[in-house]
Amino acid sequence: MSPPTFDHSHPQGNISKVSGARPLYPTRCVHTISHDNNSVLSLASNSKYLFSGSQSSKIHVWDLQNFSLVTTLVGHRGSVLGLCLSESQNWLFSCSGDGTIRVWDTNKLVCVYLIQSCHDVGDIFSMVFSESKQTLFFGSQNTSIQWYDFADPQTHGSASQVPVIPESFRSYSHQKLKFFESPPSYDDLVDEVDRFPSEDNVTKCVIREKNVHSNAHEGYVYCLLHATDIPNVDGEVIISGSGGGNVKIWSITDTGLQLLNVLQGDMDKGVLSMALSEDGYLFCGVQGGDVQNQLIRSLMAHTDDVLAVVLRGPTLVSASADGRIKSWSEDFEFKEVMDDHDGIVLAMICSQDYLVTGCSDHTIKFWDMPSPSKTVDHFRRNSIMNDIPSSDIMLYILDKWVSTRTVSGNGKYMEECRRGARFLKNVLQQLGATSRMIPGATGRNPLVYGHFSARRANTTAGNKKIPTVLVYGHYDVITTQNDDNQWHTDPFKLTGKDGYLYGRGTSDNKGPVLASIFAVYELLKEGLLDVNVIFLVEGEEESGSVGFIEAVEKHKELFSDVDLILLSNSYWLGEDVPCLTYGLRGVIHASITISNKLADLHSGVEGGAVSEPLIDLIHVTGKLVNNDKTVSIPGFYDHVRPVTEAEESLYDPIVKWLQTSETALSSSRTQHSAITSPTLSDRSRGGCDVTRCGKKYSEARQDPQLRDADKLKQQLMARWRYPTLSVHKIDVSISNPTIIPRCAKAYVSMRVVPDQSIEDIGAKFEEYVCQTFADMHTDNHISVKIESSADYWLGNPESRYFKAVEHAIEKEWKMKPLYIREGGSIPAVRFLEKFCDAPAVHLPMGQASDQAHLHNERICLRNLNAGRRIIKAVLEDLGKTGLLT
């Protein structure tokens, strides 16, 4: 057969055109994974996992949805230099510096075959698999191309006529073998060296002599491609590139490989990587920094070796030892450069959603590269959904939303808050909801309202009405304090790292709000939304929900017939067990001001002659709490609901988890949860005297472990279900170490619990403070003011609603959630329950280490996606079962 001809009519030359236009949607790094302090040498991906081979000889398996580590595949004894997948994606092939190839089952994530050559091949750099021939081809350091046919009897465990494995110099560090010496004959090898004796379930296979094409190139065979029906060639071919600079095209025959053509290259520019376009253009990354197009054109792409080239649609992407990644249009115009890596870019692939790169800086980066074919109408309003270039719409929207500094309680950010509210309104609208903004109090942020309508044609026959679920959340955030540069990233730029999303609002509360919205959107898109869903997202939650009640009451017609309220605005106790929150304490914020009509006085002149407001205030506040940490106000504990046996039993699994979980008392990050508070120790009592709160405990148990369990339980109750009083700060009219201030003001909060009345506690607080002040017979004046308040909330863990959410959590996480309460307050929850005459269920999505309100706020991407699926499952279940009606 005569060799095929190739069109070389185009003149050769260096071409590197630069597009003058900056990309409208530049490629962006959406996530970074740290890779066990080893260089990332190889990558492969299927629809579920990313596989990464490293210098450490391990293969890491990452979940592509959550960017989290699934497992580590161990077996190779050298660096994992290459990875590839079968077309069916059921097999992963890995080649190594130990001179072996391993075949892994991608469903069970176990090694099933170990393939070794009958020669000492040195490093194996590259592999391709022919699905139709069921044959694996590989290129190696000894310049050979070899192949293993899985029809070989060895594949099925037959030991007949199996070639002997040569003794490898790599197994013994004191032996050195030159690559180009004649391989030892079988007669010279008396003993077969089995380097993997413990792998009984791994079938060991050896390449047969007839499946070896020695000296296939004049240099190391760095890269292989498998293709079918390329221009001028019918059938399957292997394309090989080598350190000698040439590219060879081989036909796959029934007996092996047949050389078809040699594309001559520069001996000084070894071919390190290749990519083949759909229209038959071959791109070669070579030593020195060029990218060659079928050896006709040469792009002066980089200043150092081009170690990887891929095609993402019509876009050519090249990666280099200079640490840069560059993209080129189909007209060979330079588009953009990505230089986030801090090292040599050693590997690059295209997954289903991302461009993925691995580097010597021990990281893997995921790049969102917009499709160049997308046309954008820059002048169309409300084009958020249609203009999104991202492969993950939810994360793209979260990225844009986090960048909006929606800090409440600060006039500096009022316009940003309104912009964030408008953005959310538009998102809801484009996802299928009717949406609007509800004005808040004067000078305060608006509320965002969205309504998703159920499919009316498929309501259950027995239902008289379609159920309605109200989802509550907030878009405002706490300001960021970065005076000490404690933030590792820009707090208003979404940054993905090691499976977490960092940025202000990712956990509190923009991330959970978007997860809830997308749960509904997915049901709507799939035609499975059988409940009406209302979203009510306020912008003043971090500032006491000022104006919230009035705004909702003014628009009560928007909230008719609500059957259930859902929210997600808190956190797990730790990192590894999901939770359901069924209670929140209420809060009363008050101030005490003591003053006189005099001016601020000099202490050296008037000290001892006047009643000093600050001293009086210290005396008053000092009498609010006793030495045993109980509140001194008479009658403060009179109406605290006693602990029932059913409630106490909910603490038992929490205590057990505390005593057994490795993550419960983790100190790796500042924890949000009171569980991991440093005060939860043997030296802390933490709270009020439980006996005066109405709790009748059983007799003291003698077993030390059980006594510790009781103590943990009491400490949890002190933080969650008993009332407290705290003094937060004191302001003075003038701050000077020699001046007596004429006015001093203390800020106090009281956490209230069932069945305390805010009005009753507020009145008792004011009466006690005024009486304490009167007993001092001072010349000063006192003013007590209740600044704001929010009622407690207590759900019923045994209700059908909580059980429905519990079932969805258990299905998602494969474990039952812990039922917890929180010591903090969310002003809107109890009000909404009363206003809508509907129960609330609180589903935490974040972990204890999320650091809400603190620096480096984050949320685990796995938790965010799981939360979305849980809410989706709950809504779908409620719609099917008619549980709400």
Side-chain angles (χ1 to χ4, degrees):
M1 182 178 75
S2 60
T5 59
F6 293 85
D7 182 10
H8 289 258
S9 60
H10 298 285
Q12 294 192 22
N14 289 329
I15 300 174
S16 184
K17 295 191 291 183
V18 178
S19 172
R22 184 178 181 271
L24 177 65
Y25 291 112
T27 298
R28 61 196 184 97
C29 178
V30 297
H31 212 92
T32 301
I33 292 176
S34 303
H35 199 276
D36 78 350
N37 295 321
N38 280 278
S39 296
V40 182
L41 305 180
S42 52
L43 296 167
S45 73
N46 60 16
S47 58
K48 187 175 183 181
Y49 299 126
L50 173 75
F51 303 93
S52 61
S54 75
Q55 218 170 1
S56 69
S57 78
K58 299 176 182 177
I59 301 170
H60 292 76
V61 185
W62 309 91
D63 185 312
L64 276 174
Q65 186 179 48
N66 303 318
F67 304 109
S68 57
L69 182 65
V70 176
T71 189
T72 301
L73 306 180
V74 179
H76 282 297
R77 305 300 194 264
S79 299
V80 181
L81 302 175
L83 294 170
C84 73
L85 285 157
S86 63
E87 188 177 337
S88 66
Q89 298 193 347
N90 292 325
W91 282 357
L92 171 72
F93 304 94
S94 59
C95 60
S96 171
D98 64 10
T100 69
I101 290 174
R102 286 178 172 265
V103 186
W104 310 82
D105 184 322
T106 58
N107 296 309
K108 299 179 180 178
L109 297 177
V110 295
C111 183
V112 289
Y113 297 107
L114 170 64
I115 301 174
Q116 297 170 267
S117 177
C118 57
H119 298 177
D120 191 331
V121 296
D123 295 343
I124 300 177
F125 295 111
S126 52
M127 301 169 296
V128 291
F129 180 69
S130 168
E131 196 87 28
S132 63
K133 302 292 185 182
Q134 286 293 291
T135 301
L136 177 73
F137 298 86
F138 64 90
S140 57
Q141 190 174 13
N142 73 345
T143 75
S144 69
I145 296 177
Q146 304 187 20
W147 56 95
Y148 181 79
D149 185 350
F150 282 86
D152 193 302
Q154 298 178 78
T155 306
H156 308 290
S158 174
S160 62
Q161 299 180 344
V162 176
V164 177
I165 304 170
E167 186 172 4
S168 172
F169 77 99
R170 292 160 191 268
S171 300
Y172 303 96
S173 59
H174 65 276
Q175 295 184 4
K176 293 184 180 179
L177 180 67
K178 295 181 179 179
F179 287 112
F180 298 104
E181 288 182 350
S182 299
S185 66
Y186 293 156
D187 295 336
D188 294 335
L189 298 173
V190 179
D191 297 320
E192 176 178 337
V193 178
D194 187 349
R195 286 176 276 162
F196 309 95
S198 62
E199 297 182 297
D200 296 332
N201 296 323
V202 177
T203 302
K204 300 180 178 64
C205 309
V206 182
I207 304 292
R208 298 186 184 276
E209 186 69 42
K210 65 184 182 68
N211 294 348
V212 176
H213 195 302
S214 300
N215 302 317
H217 277 274
E218 294 178 356
Y220 300 166
V221 184
Y222 284 122
C223 47
L224 293 177
L225 284 178
H226 172 260
T228 303
D229 297 333
I230 65 173
N232 304 313
V233 180
D234 295 331
E236 291 185 81
V237 298
I238 297 294
I239 305 172
S240 58
S242 79
N246 292 338
V247 173
K248 294 186 177 183
I249 303 175
W250 312 79
S251 175
I252 302 177
T253 68
D254 292 337
T255 58
L257 295 178
Q258 179 181 348
L259 181 63
L260 297 180
N261 206 298
V262 179
L263 304 179
Q264 297 292 336
D266 188 337
M267 290 186 62
D268 294 328
K269 293 187 175 183
V271 178
L272 306 176
S273 54
M274 297 186 298
L276 186 67
S277 69
E278 292 182 357
D279 53 2
Y281 280 98
L282 177 67
F283 296 90
C284 303
V286 302
Q287 291 174 319
D290 289 354
V291 176
Q292 298 176 344
N293 172 241
Q294 201 173 307
L295 304 186
I296 295 170
R297 297 184 178 185
S298 179
L299 303 175
M300 295 181 293
H302 296 272
T303 59
D304 209 335
D305 299 348
V306 180
L307 301 177
V309 289
V310 298
L311 286 156
R312 188 165 179 84
T315 301
L316 171 69
V317 187
S318 58
S320 168
D322 63 14
R324 294 185 171 188
I325 303 158
K326 295 185 177 181
S327 65
W328 313 81
S329 73
E330 53 190 331
D331 297 324
F332 309 111
E333 286 187 341
F334 169 72
K335 294 172 62 178
E336 60 178 327
V337 60
M338 293 81 80
D339 56 3
D340 288 28
H341 277 299
D342 187 21
I344 300 171
V345 183
L346 297 163
M348 179 168 61
I349 61 166
C350 290
S351 72
Q352 183 175 337
D353 296 324
Y354 301 103
L355 176 74
V356 188
T357 55
C359 185
S360 63
D361 62 6
H362 311 158
T363 66
I364 299 170
K365 290 186 180 291
F366 295 81
W367 306 85
D368 191 3
M369 179 172 283
S371 169
S373 61
K374 189 169 187 62
T375 58
V376 178
D377 184 352
H378 309 290
F379 302 100
R380 180 166 46 84
R381 296 182 64 185
N382 302 334
S383 59
I384 295 170
M385 292 301 300
N386 294 324
D387 294 351
I388 287 175
S390 174
S391 54
D392 191 319
I393 299 175
M394 185 176 77
L395 293 187
Y396 180 83
I397 291 175
L398 182 59
D399 179 26
K400 297 300 180 184
W401 207 17
V402 166
S403 69
T404 309
R405 303 172 184 238
T406 54
V407 178
S408 62
N410 187 331
K412 174 183 175 182
Y413 298 103
M414 182 169 292
E415 184 53 39
E416 287 268 341
C417 289
R418 293 185 180 277
R419 189 160 66 89
R422 286 195 298 269
F423 178 83
L424 177 60
K425 179 185 79 72
N426 292 340
V427 167
L428 285 165
Q429 180 179 325
Q430 296 202 36
L431 289 176
T434 57
S435 62
R436 58 175 291 183
M437 290 165 60
I438 298 174
T442 303
R444 294 288 185 163
N445 298 322
L447 291 71
V448 180
Y449 171 91
H451 185 281
F452 288 90
S453 298
R455 52 170 188 170
R456 294 184 175 273
N458 292 323
T459 55
T460 306
N463 290 347
K464 294 183 179 180
K465 78 178 195 67
I466 299 173
T468 299
V469 177
L470 171 66
V471 180
Y472 165 82
H474 66 92
Y475 65 83
D476 62 317
V477 299
I478 287 289
T479 189
T480 58
Q481 300 293 338
N482 200 24
D483 297 337
D484 299 326
N485 295 318
Q486 291 179 304
W487 279 87
H488 299 152
T489 61
D490 183 344
F492 293 104
K493 179 181 179 182
L494 187 69
T495 303
K497 184 177 181 183
D498 295 332
Y500 286 87
L501 301 175
Y502 289 83
R504 177 60 86 218
T506 51
S507 182
D508 184 19
N509 182 233
K510 292 178 178 179
V513 166
L514 276 185
S516 304
I517 291 172
F518 272 84
V520 180
Y521 168 66
E522 289 176 10
L523 288 173
L524 182 68
K525 187 170 62 173
E526 296 164 8
L528 299 174
L529 185 60
D530 292 328
V531 296
N532 296 318
V533 182
I534 296 171
F535 280 89
L536 180 60
V537 187
E538 68 159 310
E540 292 286 345
E541 193 271 351
E542 302 291 6
S543 299
S545 294
V546 176
F548 175 81
I549 293 176
E550 294 78 7
V552 173
E553 289 177 336
K554 188 175 181 179
H555 296 82
K556 60 182 179 181
E557 72 280 358
L558 298 176
F559 307 98
S560 60
D561 295 326
V562 171
D563 299 284
L564 176 66
I565 300 162
L566 286 177
L567 68 151
S568 178
N569 194 20
S570 63
Y571 315 89
W572 293 1
L573 297 187
E575 310 297 298
D576 55 358
V577 179
C579 298
L580 254 178
T581 303
Y582 69 94
L584 298 165
R585 292 191 292 197
V587 65
I588 300 172
H589 290 287
S591 63
I592 305 170
T593 304
I594 297 179
S595 61
N596 58 40
K597 296 181 179 180
L598 303 174
D600 297 319
L601 303 173
H602 193 292
S603 62
V605 176
E606 302 291 345
V610 296
S611 297
E612 300 187 14
L614 181 54
I615 291 177
D616 288 353
L617 184 61
I618 292 172
H619 285 157
V620 170
T621 55
K623 293 183 179 181
L624 292 175
V625 178
N626 298 313
N627 292 337
D628 63 357
K629 302 179 185 178
T630 58
V631 180
S632 305
I633 300 173
F636 188 78
Y637 298 101
D638 286 353
H639 300 291
V640 174
R641 185 181 301 181
V643 180
T644 64
E645 291 184 7
E647 180 189 345
E648 186 175 353
S649 67
L650 293 174
Y651 288 85
D652 293 331
I654 301 173
V655 170
K656 182 178 179 181
W657 172 78
L658 276 171
Q659 293 175 328
T660 58
S661 172
E662 294 181 0
T663 68
L665 298 177
S666 169
S667 59
S668 58
R669 285 170 57 87
T670 303
Q671 307 289 298
H672 168 88
S673 172
I675 287 295
T676 48
S677 166
T679 62
L680 193 63
S681 65
D682 290 339
R683 292 174 295 175
S684 168
R685 197 167 182 286
C688 64
D689 183 347
V690 294
T691 56
R692 71 182 294 175
C693 295
K695 171 70 180 81
K696 293 183 179 180
Y697 279 96
S698 59
E699 294 181 0
R701 286 171 260 186
Q702 298 302 313
D703 183 82
Q705 185 174 358
L706 291 178
R707 288 205 307 271
D708 288 343
D710 276 345
K711 189 170 185 178
L712 284 172
K713 192 180 296 186
Q714 292 180 37
Q715 289 170 341
L716 293 174
M717 290 182 181
R719 286 164 169 78
W720 292 350
R721 64 101 58 216
Y722 290 123
T724 62
L725 186 149
S726 299
V727 179
H728 300 287
K729 69 172 183 174
I730 292 178
D731 289 340
V732 292
S733 56
I734 185 171
S735 180
N736 186 296
T738 64
I739 300 298
I740 300 171
R742 59 180 174 80
C743 178
K745 185 176 183 178
Y747 295 85
V748 178
S749 75
M750 289 160 281
R751 301 288 173 173
V752 296
V753 300
D755 292 304
Q756 290 179 306
S757 161
I758 285 180
E759 292 76 12
D760 177 60
I761 294 299
K764 287 177 177 177
F765 169 77
E766 185 172 359
E767 180 184 357
Y768 176 74
V769 169
C770 291
Q771 184 60 53
T772 302
F773 178 78
D775 292 343
M776 295 167 55
H777 304 291
T778 176
D779 297 331
N780 295 313
H781 307 283
I782 190 169
S783 170
V784 180
K785 182 180 180 182
I786 304 299
E787 304 284 352
S788 64
S789 65
D791 210 347
Y792 61 81
W793 167 70
L794 185 65
N796 178 10
E798 296 301 319
S799 74
R800 54 186 178 173
Y801 312 110
F802 271 93
K803 292 304 178 184
V805 179
E806 177 188 319
H807 175 73
I809 292 174
E810 188 173 2
K811 183 178 178 181
E812 173 67 31
W813 290 104
K814 314 304 180 190
M815 65 179 78
K816 285 185 177 293
L818 297 174
Y819 278 87
I820 64 172
R821 292 170 71 164
E822 291 242 353
S825 308
I826 301 178
V829 181
R830 183 59 183 142
F831 162 75
L832 287 174
E833 274 197 330
K834 294 178 179 178
F835 181 77
C836 298
D837 190 24
V841 177
H842 194 172
L843 169 68
M845 290 189 193
Q847 297 168 310
S849 61
D850 279 5
Q851 299 210 155
H853 292 199
L854 303 175
H855 57 274
N856 299 316
E857 180 182 345
R858 69 180 190 178
I859 193 168
C860 180
L861 186 53
R862 183 186 177 198
N863 283 48
L864 196 64
N865 286 323
R868 186 189 75 240
R869 290 190 293 267
I870 290 168
I871 289 180
K872 180 180 178 182
V874 168
L875 295 176
E876 187 175 7
D877 183 53
L878 296 178
K880 287 179 180 178
T881 61
L883 186 63
L884 298 179
T885 59

